Amino acid sequence: LSLTDRTTDIGKLISSYLENKNNLEDHTVHLLFSANRWEQVPLIKEKLNQGITLVVDRYAFSGVAFTSAKENFSMDWCKQPDVGLPKPDLIVFLRLSVLEAAQRGDFGNERYECSAFQEKVLQNYQQLMKDKTLNWKKQIVDASKSIEELHNEIKSFTEAAMQEAQNKPIGELWK
Ligand code: 2DT
Ligand code: MG
């Protein structure tokens, strides 16, 4: 499951913002990213209640890390719209240096894809990872490996988390 879902009405607004085709006020776009998650919560809950494991890209952590990299946005303010979202059972940070990311296809075409901003975002992630109420995978994963290697590595430690989550109710994020 990909969050951001760029196909909904809200997702399309976000997508053109990221492609620099429109401009949105900073608070507004932050709230739209959050709304884009909330609109998927019924589906997320339905799947989880069917016993389906969801692998979600980015989620609220990117919301906070990216917006609070802008001037005059506190991390606390950035978290509020996402308070109460389904809480992940495990969060994995995949680390790629800005240099390597820049060498990958298409880097630089979208908003936020510039090195100085990405460094600020990284610092915000490091701040978010200190939160002991969340199950961050302690070891940061080196994302420069091949897809196959990454798949195997991530699979090796997610199976335990999946087992553990099986009989637990869905938690609430940052609440
Ligand atoms: P993708 O490359 O994954 O499509 O992300 N972003 C993402 C935010 O600023 N706030 C959010 O809540 C989320 C989920 C990160 C495109 C860019 O959107 C940023 C990169
Ligand atoms: Mg992208």
Side-chain angles (χ1 to χ4, degrees):
L1 194 71
S2 173
L3 299 155
T4 317
D5 179 348
R6 295 192 185 193
T7 65
T8 66
D9 288 339
I10 295 169
K12 283 177 199 155
L13 271 172
I14 294 171
S15 192
S16 28
Y17 174 78
L18 290 170
E19 291 163 16
N20 291 304
K21 288 177 184 159
N22 68 7
N23 261 320
L24 293 166
E25 193 275 331
D26 287 330
H27 299 80
T28 309
V29 75
H30 183 76
L31 296 171
L32 285 173
F33 268 113
S34 179
N36 187 234
R37 286 182 277 280
W38 280 108
E39 66 182 344
Q40 292 191 73
V41 168
L43 181 68
I44 290 173
K45 288 192 171 165
E46 188 190 312
K47 298 277 184 204
L48 292 175
N49 289 329
Q50 288 168 2
I52 296 169
T53 299
L54 298 178
V55 180
V56 170
D57 182 24
R58 292 202 186 271
Y59 211 48
F61 311 102
S62 276
V64 175
F66 278 74
T67 302
S68 62
K70 296 179 177 177
E71 294 295 318
N72 295 317
F73 281 89
S74 71
M75 218 167 240
D76 187 52
W77 187 89
C78 291
K79 281 180 177 175
Q80 296 314 309
D82 289 308
V83 168
L85 278 177
K87 183 176 176 174
D89 298 299
L90 179 68
I91 316 162
V92 184
F93 187 84
L94 282 78
R95 172 85 167 99
L96 191 69
S97 71
V98 174
L99 204 72
E100 280 173 287
Q103 281 161 3
R104 290 195 174 178
D106 281 353
F107 185 90
N109 292 340
E110 288 204 332
R111 204 184 286 263
Y112 302 145
E113 292 180 345
C114 89
S115 300
F117 194 78
Q118 294 282 328
E119 287 297 346
K120 277 193 207 164
V121 171
L122 174 61
Q123 284 172 18
N124 292 334
Y125 268 111
Q126 281 161 344
Q127 195 64 34
L128 288 168
M129 279 187 261
K130 291 181 188 160
D131 184 346
K132 298 289 177 240
T133 71
L134 292 169
N135 188 19
W136 284 94
K137 171 75 187 153
K138 278 178 202 69
Q139 223 169 301
I140 290 173
V141 172
D142 171 11
S144 68
K145 295 177 185 171
S146 71
I147 292 173
E148 187 73 359
E149 279 178 292
L150 280 172
H151 172 81
N152 289 327
E153 183 179 342
I154 294 168
K155 200 173 157 210
S156 73
F157 56 71
T158 42
E159 272 159 1
M162 282 163 65
Q163 280 292 329
E164 218 175 292
Q166 221 162 47
N167 301 310
K168 276 198 308 189
I170 302 170
E172 293 176 302
L173 182 63
W174 292 323
K175 208 166 164 177

